[in-house]
Amino acid sequence: MTAKFLKRGAVALLGTIAIPAMAAAQETPLSIGMSTTPTTLDPHEDSSAPNNATSRHIWDSLINLTGKSANAPELATQWKAVDPTHWEFKLREGVKFHDGSDFNADDVIASLLRARDKPSQGFAAYTRNIAGVTAKDPYTVVVETKIPDPLLLNSISRIRIISADCKEAPVQDFDNGKCAIGTGAFSFVSYSPGSNLTLKRNDDYFAGPSHWSNVTLRFLPDDGARLASLLSNEVDIIETLPADGMARVESSGNLQVINGQSSRFVYLGMDVSRNDSRFVKAADGSNLGKNPLKDARVRRAMLMSINRPAIVDRVMQKNGTVADQFVADGYAGHSDKVEKVGYDPKAAKALLAEAGYPDGFSLTIHGPSGRYVKDAEVLQAVGQMFTRIGIKTKVEVLPWAMYSDAYAKGDYSVFFGSWGVNSGETTNPTVALVATRDEEKGTGRYNGGGVSDPKIDEVLAKASSTLDEAERKPLLEELSVQTFDNLWLLPMHYENVVLGAKKTVTYTPRGDKYTLAYEVKPAN
C-alpha cells in the first residue's frame, strides 16, 4: 500500500470553469431504470458505457467530461501543457474520500497507472500514450506522454480516481464494496450484480450535496420490464424508452418522454483475419474452407443488402439516424469523400456471385440483447435481409454480460457493436475498433474483427501525435475514408437518446447517453 502525502498545500487553486453547486440537500430518494447491466464496479477493468456511467456516481475524475463532451474541472482545478509531452494538473484541495481519508497526488498517480497497466487493458485506448505520472507536490501532478497527444485531456476524463490504498485490489474488492470508495456525489451501500446498485448521498461532496438522499440504479435490460417499472411508478426515470411504449407514456398524465441527440455509432463488425471463420459455412452447412468476409466485395454486398433507412424508421421507430461513418457531418473527421452505400439487394446478389459465391453461404451473427436500441430486433431484420441475397443467416443474441468480452476478443464471425464517440473526432473510435491490436501500444482493444490495415495504422499514428488542428483535420478525415471505403466495419446508425420519466423530475440527455443521478433534478 502507498503512503499518502501528509503535507497539504496552503492555497486551493480555482478552476476556470466552475462546477455548479448542487441544491440544498433533501430527504428524497431517486430510482433509475438502467437499460444495461454493468459487468463490474471496478472502474478500471472494462471501458463500456454501462460500467463507466455507473462508476461516475461513486468516483470522480481529474476532468469532468460534460454531456456535450467539453472538459471542465473536477478533481483537477487547472491544467496546462508545459511542453508537447508534459501536462501539469493542479489538484483540488480539501477533498475527502467516502471513508474520510484525504485525496491528493498519490491517488492520482495510483489511478492513472493502474488503469494503464491493468491486464484487462480495458482503458488502453485512453492510457496508451501515458509514459509516466509524477508529483511535484501533494497537489500538483505531471503527466508525461510518449508522444504529443492532442486528446490527453479527453482521455484523462475517462479515468476514475480511486484511493491509492486500493491500487492493488482485485475486481471483487470493488464489487463487494471493500474498495468501492470514491470522492463522488454518492457512496456505496450495496451491490447485487445483475440486479441493482444502492447508493447514499455524500453530504460532504465538494460540489455540494445531491438533491437525492439515496439512489437505486436498477438494471433492467428487458424493454418490457423497464417500461413496466416506469408505468407502475417503481422508478422515477428509465433509459432507452422502448419505442412501442412511447404512446403510453405520452398519454399518461404523470409521465413524460425526454429526447436528445447521442454520439453513439452502431456497426456490424466482421472477422477479416482468419482464413476459416468459426461461424461461416457453405450454403449447405458444410465446411467452406475459406473466409468470404475477407473479400471487400462480400462486405459491400452485405451492406447493400441492409435496408438501413427502413430499420431506423420501422424497427427502431425513428430512434436513430442512418450512419455512413464514425461521426456525422459537423464533427472532426467526417469526410464527404466516404462512399455512401445504398440499399440494392439485386446488385448485392451480383456482387456476391462476382466474388465467387453465386449460391451464397451460411452465417451466424451475434449480438447483445438489451444493450442498444432494439438490438435483438435490428439483428433479426439484418439476418432476414442477408438471407434474401443468399447468405443464409442465423441470429444469436446474448445478455450483455456474456456478450461484451467475447465480441471484443474476436470470438464471433459477424457481431453487433457500438462506440460512443464522445471525443467528437475519429482517432478515438479508430484506436479502439479498427487499429491493429497491439497491447503494448494500447490499440485495437475492441477490434473484434482482427482488422490490420497498415495505411490506417500509419495515418492514426500521425493524427494521434499532431497538435496543430489544421494539420490534423485531413488526417482525421482520411481515417474515415480508409475505414469505410474498405468497409472494415459496416456502418448502421447513430442512436438517439430517448428516456421516460415522471413529470416530477427533469433531465438533459447527454451525448454519451449516460444517465447520471446527480444530473437528474426535481421539476420544481
Side-chain angles (χ1 to χ4, degrees), residues 334-371:
H334 176 90
S335 174
D336 293 334
K337 295 179 181 178
V338 171
E339 182 183 351
K340 293 186 178 181
V341 179
Y343 174 59
D344 193 338
K346 183 177 180 180
K349 286 184 179 180
L351 200 53
L352 271 185
E354 179 187 318
Y357 303 94
D359 299 322
F361 51 89
S362 63
L363 171 70
T364 300
I365 60 178
H366 292 82
S369 176
R371 173 65 184 92

Side-chain angles (χ1 to χ4, degrees), residues 91-402:
L91 306 184
R92 190 177 300 275
E93 297 187 38
V95 175
K96 290 185 179 294
F97 284 92
H98 299 147
D99 64 358
S101 62
D102 293 329
F103 156 76
N104 56 39
D106 270 350
D107 306 301
V108 175
I109 294 171
S111 299
L112 297 185
L113 296 183
R114 183 178 188 266
R116 184 194 69 179
D117 299 336
K118 261 267 188 179
S120 66
Q121 286 293 285
F123 284 81
Y126 306 114
T127 61
R128 66 194 185 95
N129 287 331
I130 296 178
V133 189
T134 55
K136 291 180 66 174
D137 60 55
Y139 293 98
T140 306
V141 170
V142 175
V143 176
E144 179 185 3
T145 60
K146 299 173 184 177
I147 57 175
D149 186 353
L151 285 182
L152 180 70
L153 298 181
N154 184 278
S155 297
I156 289 290
S157 74
R158 315 305 179 100
I159 311 303
R160 310 291 178 245
I161 304 304
I162 66 169
S163 168
D165 291 341
C166 288
K167 69 177 183 178
E168 304 290 346
V171 169
Q172 55 264 35
D173 279 359
F174 290 86
D175 290 345
N176 65 25
K178 183 178 179 180
C179 278
I181 301 166
T183 60
F186 298 95
S187 63
F188 176 94
V189 174
S190 65
Y191 174 51
S192 177
S195 179
N196 62 77
L197 171 66
T198 303
L199 306 164
K200 68 177 180 179
R201 178 172 54 215
N202 175 9
D203 288 326
D204 296 322
Y205 191 48
F206 68 84
S210 167
H211 295 279
W212 316 109
S213 58
N214 54 75
V215 170
T216 301
L217 305 182
R218 295 184 58 193
F219 309 125
L220 301 168
D222 180 79
D223 282 354
R226 195 166 62 258
L227 176 62
S229 70
L230 179 66
L231 294 173
S232 62
N233 292 315
E234 294 176 12
V235 298
D236 299 288
I237 185 169
I238 64 169
E239 297 182 318
T240 316
L241 175 65
D244 50 13
M246 290 182 67
R248 296 178 67 185
V249 171
E250 288 174 330
S251 64
S252 170
N254 65 330
L255 301 175
Q256 60 180 317
V257 177
I258 301 174
N259 293 285
Q261 295 287 323
S262 104
S263 59
R264 182 158 295 279
F265 165 71
V266 180
Y267 64 92
L268 285 172
M270 296 154 293
D271 175 6
V272 295
S273 63
R274 298 181 180 91
N275 292 325
D276 187 7
S277 193
R278 179 181 175 187
F279 295 101
V280 179
K281 304 293 181 184
D284 61 4
S286 63
N287 185 32
L288 191 58
K290 56 182 177 178
N291 180 4
L293 304 174
K294 298 181 73 171
D295 192 319
R297 294 170 296 181
V298 172
R299 300 196 295 272
R300 185 168 296 272
M302 293 170 71
L303 185 57
M304 292 169 71
S305 78
I306 304 173
N307 190 339
R308 291 175 289 163
I311 286 176
V312 165
D313 188 57
R314 301 171 198 167
V315 179
M316 299 177 66
Q317 297 184 268
K318 296 182 169 54
N319 286 333
T321 304
V322 173
D324 293 296
Q325 50 190 296
F326 285 130
V327 293
D329 189 16
Y331 287 85
H334 176 90
S335 174
D336 293 334
K337 295 179 181 178
V338 171
E339 182 183 351
K340 293 186 178 181
V341 179
Y343 174 59
D344 193 338
K346 183 177 180 180
K349 286 184 179 180
L351 200 53
L352 271 185
E354 179 187 318
Y357 303 94
D359 299 322
F361 51 89
S362 63
L363 171 70
T364 300
I365 60 178
H366 292 82
S369 176
R371 173 65 184 92
Y372 314 128
V373 176
K374 291 291 184 181
D375 43 20
E377 293 86 349
V378 169
L379 274 181
Q380 291 293 344
V382 168
Q384 293 169 15
M385 293 170 184
F386 283 169
T387 299
R388 288 174 194 152
I389 66 165
I391 302 175
K392 185 179 179 181
T393 303
K394 177 183 177 183
V395 176
E396 289 189 2
V397 295
L398 303 94
W400 174 250
M402 296 174 59

Side-chain angles (χ1 to χ4, degrees), residues 430-431 434-438 443-445 447 451-454 456-457:
T430 303
V431 165
V434 186
T436 300
R437 190 185 291 263
D438 187 322
T443 58
R445 171 64 177 82
N447 180 354
V451 178
S452 184
D453 185 326
I456 288 177
D457 292 341

